[in-house]
Amino acid sequence: MSSAVDGEADIRARIQQHWEASESGDLDAEHAIYAADAILDYPQSGERFKGRSKIQAQRGGHPAERHFTIRRILGRGELWVSECVITYDGVPTFSVSVMEITDGLVTHETQYFADPFPAAPGRAALAEPIPARER
């Protein structure tokens, strides 16, 4: 059991390093987590990128100033999920990254993106605000 826990701690640390490298703009460190033949899917645009080099090339050419704030990383075994806010030129977009991991490397990632929206007034009596530190 200890080796499984240690392995999961290592994967979590590698995913955290991935997001930190994304924030700092270190493209090589950001993409070190991907297998050479990894696949990245963006369901909203219908795009699939095959191979670490194509994944890195499409991210490296992004024209916006980007910042990454990790809300949480959850996972076990071969499936890991990161919730984050990616800010493009000062505008936040919420993102969920689903990573499938084999032998310590991401083999398939699917990223979902959603823009923030105002809360519906009719739900005000039912809801409470998410604390700022968790947004």
Side-chain angles (χ1 to χ4, degrees), residues 15 78 128 131 135:
I15 293 170
E78 296 179 351
E128 59 186 69
R135 282 191 214 164

Side-chain angles (χ1 to χ4, degrees), residues 11-71:
I11 291 170
R12 181 182 305 279
R14 294 198 57 196
I15 293 170
Q16 182 69 40
Q17 290 168 354
H18 160 77
W19 293 116
E20 289 171 0
S22 297
E23 171 62 22
S24 71
D26 184 340
L27 286 175
D28 290 333
E30 177 182 4
H31 294 89
I33 196 170
Y34 294 98
D37 60 350
I39 293 170
L40 171 64
D41 289 337
Y42 291 158
Q44 281 90 345
S45 64
E47 295 172 289
R48 171 170 280 180
F49 301 91
K50 289 185 173 182
R52 182 190 314 124
S53 61
K54 286 185 180 178
I55 294 168
Q56 183 170 344
Q58 68 88 19
R59 287 184 176 149
H62 202 289
E65 178 184 330
R66 299 179 303 160
H67 293 284
F68 298 79
T69 303
I70 303 311
R71 294 183 69 192

Side-chain angles (χ1 to χ4, degrees), residues 84-88 90-95 113-119 135:
C84 57
V85 178
I86 306 174
T87 305
Y88 297 96
V91 178
T93 296
F94 293 86
S95 178
F113 301 91
D115 292 331
F117 57 87
R135 282 191 214 164

Side-chain angles (χ1 to χ4, degrees), residues 117-127:
F117 57 87
R123 297 193 304 247
L126 303 171

